[in-house]
Amino acid sequence: MENNQDQKHTISALVDNEPGVLSRVTGLFSGRGFNIESLCVAETMDPLVSRITLVTRGNDQIIEQITKQLNKLINVIKVIDFTNTEFVEREMALIKVRAEAQTRAEILRIVDIFRCKVVDVSPQFYTIEVTGNEGKIKAILDLLGPLGIKEIARTGAIAMARSKKEGSLKREKSVILQETFGGGKK
């Protein structure tokens, strides 16, 4: 059990979009001594439902306890632990980095390599917008660090389950066509 003691878990919870719901969710974590590494909340396509994406660490027993406790909260509709599933995870960061005459070209090369954007320019600083997974954010921070990062703002991770693979879609499409047109017989 110790080998997964610090395993990272990305958990998504669909909740009622009402005041106090986020407080109840975070209160559940703080009341039991669980740490939240990142937290992101936004409205879904249904304005009455919000998605909370949070990242935490723990072993299987702790994560099972967290998901069970989340499911018991009245305003929680659905809880998904993305561990051991295929999902897409992204984070956005704004990085203000010192941009002096001798380092501007190097910063712009890094921005180009990482497919980032310079979203603000001043005589002494560039503010860079980068979107990607945790590894990409860490990699660009490692490269920009020696050049002089002044400030960082990060959104925290958001995640969504991957869609079914193309083979699965073709089989589903084939089934729909057979049901619709009777399997090709006239």
Side-chain angles (χ1 to χ4, degrees), residues 11-154:
I11 297 172
S12 175
L14 295 175
V15 300
D16 293 333
N17 187 8
E18 295 177 2
V21 174
L22 180 60
S23 176
R24 283 190 279 281
V25 170
T26 56
L28 182 150
F29 277 76
S30 65
R32 286 158 182 82
F34 302 140
N35 187 39
I36 297 174
E37 290 186 6
S38 78
L39 176 70
C40 190
V41 184
E43 188 177 285
T44 63
M45 291 181 64
D46 181 351
L48 300 175
V49 177
S50 291
R51 179 186 302 268
I52 298 175
T53 305
L54 56 90
V55 177
T56 188
R57 289 189 183 272
N59 61 30
D60 292 342
Q61 184 181 7
I62 289 172
I63 299 304
E64 183 180 345
Q65 185 180 2
I66 287 172
T67 55
K68 282 182 178 176
Q69 293 296 319
L70 284 172
N71 276 312
K72 286 182 182 176
L73 294 176
I74 291 171
N75 300 105
V76 173
I77 300 165
K78 184 178 182 180
V79 178
I80 303 166
D81 176 8
F82 287 113
T83 308
N84 301 324
T85 63
E86 291 190 26
F87 67 102
V88 178
E89 183 179 58
R90 293 292 182 265
E91 180 178 349
M92 198 268 283
L94 295 174
I95 306 165
K96 186 178 285 186
V97 61
R98 183 170 300 283
E100 297 174 358
Q102 64 271 19
T103 59
R104 286 180 184 251
E106 184 177 354
I107 293 169
L108 292 176
R109 276 194 300 273
I110 292 170
V111 165
D112 188 45
I113 290 168
F114 282 85
R115 297 180 187 166
C116 309
K117 293 181 197 168
V118 176
V119 293
D120 188 43
V121 176
S122 72
Q124 296 176 335
F125 296 99
Y126 284 161
T127 301
I128 299 166
E129 174 191 316
V130 57
T131 304
N133 62 22
E134 184 181 8
K136 181 178 179 180
I137 304 288
K138 183 182 179 324
I140 194 167
L141 289 175
D142 288 346
L143 287 174
L144 293 175
L147 301 175
I149 295 175
K150 181 176 190 233
E151 191 175 354
I152 300 170
R154 297 173 73 161

